[in-house]
Amino acid sequence: MTTIENTTRTDLQFFPVAGYIGAEVDGIDLRDPLTEDQSKALIKGLHHYKVLFFRDQQIDHAQQIAFSRNFGRVTASHPYDDEAPTEFPEILKVDNRDYERKFGVKAASYTNEWHTDVTALVNPPAVTILRADVAPVRGGDTSWTNLAAAYEGLPESLKELVDGLRAEHSFGGRHPIFKSDSTYGAKVNKAPLISEHPVVRVHPVTGERILFVQPGFTNRIVGYSRRQSDAILDLLFDEVSKASYTVRFRWLPGSIAVWDNRATAHLAPGDINHLDVARTLYRTTIEGDIPVGVDGRPSVSISGEQFIGS
């Protein structure tokens, strides 16, 4: 058990669950508004552990949105979502029963590859909050990886190379899971979101260097041939997905995960795609900043606008 030191006392306790990433949080009821001290402690804990887990939190959409506001401005549900509840436009429903209709393939999520949420945007979300409503009795776990640790694990010569690289991010990365003629594919083709990000971004709060690439969105290294780009990305993706940097979470009804989307990637489950089970979660995201590289250069949008919260 770890207590994150703060200027004033809170009853929050953080229980680290893996060597590089993740902590379960106890001593809080998310049905109630957070105090200023609780909010500060959670934000500090989030930056330290990268992903926080909460159990037995029976909250509704309005309470999830209220809790999310402790981390910043809450965005609309998703750039391509047109099915959010009318009264709660910030809520994205993540339901495995919807994906065959949307994507044209049977899947438990948008992608079964490691990804950082919506890095096709020039300002990807800073924080993501995901709440489980219906969870299968087996399978359906989510994993997260620490992208700061992944960068630190690189040899110095490779750090010197990637510190100066830029990469293009788009929906689906090199190998989109959704079919081009699916409902989702049509939305992506009609209003493409494409951004160029530094391969290594500097975290705006912690100052850590983050290996900001992942298979779900990163499609090429700028200025390299496809073959050269693929070789570099394959190497970096192997580092991002190294098991020692990860943590795995079993969803139960009332479980909540909050992660620093600037410093992590996560892996949606692929083990229930073939099963006749239900898995329903609800997501909110926090408006992000525009990433900045080691050289001080910010990301640029190739197609699409910033995603602003309220």
Side-chain angles (χ1 to χ4, degrees), residues 94-107:
V94 180
D95 193 321
N96 65 308
R97 295 165 293 185
D98 291 340
Y99 282 110
E100 188 167 6
R101 171 178 58 84
K102 291 181 178 180
F103 295 164
V105 294
K106 189 173 182 180

Side-chain angles (χ1 to χ4, degrees), residues 104-116:
V105 294
K106 189 173 182 180
S109 183
Y110 153 74
T111 177
N112 295 137
E113 294 188 298
W114 287 99
H115 65 286
T116 298

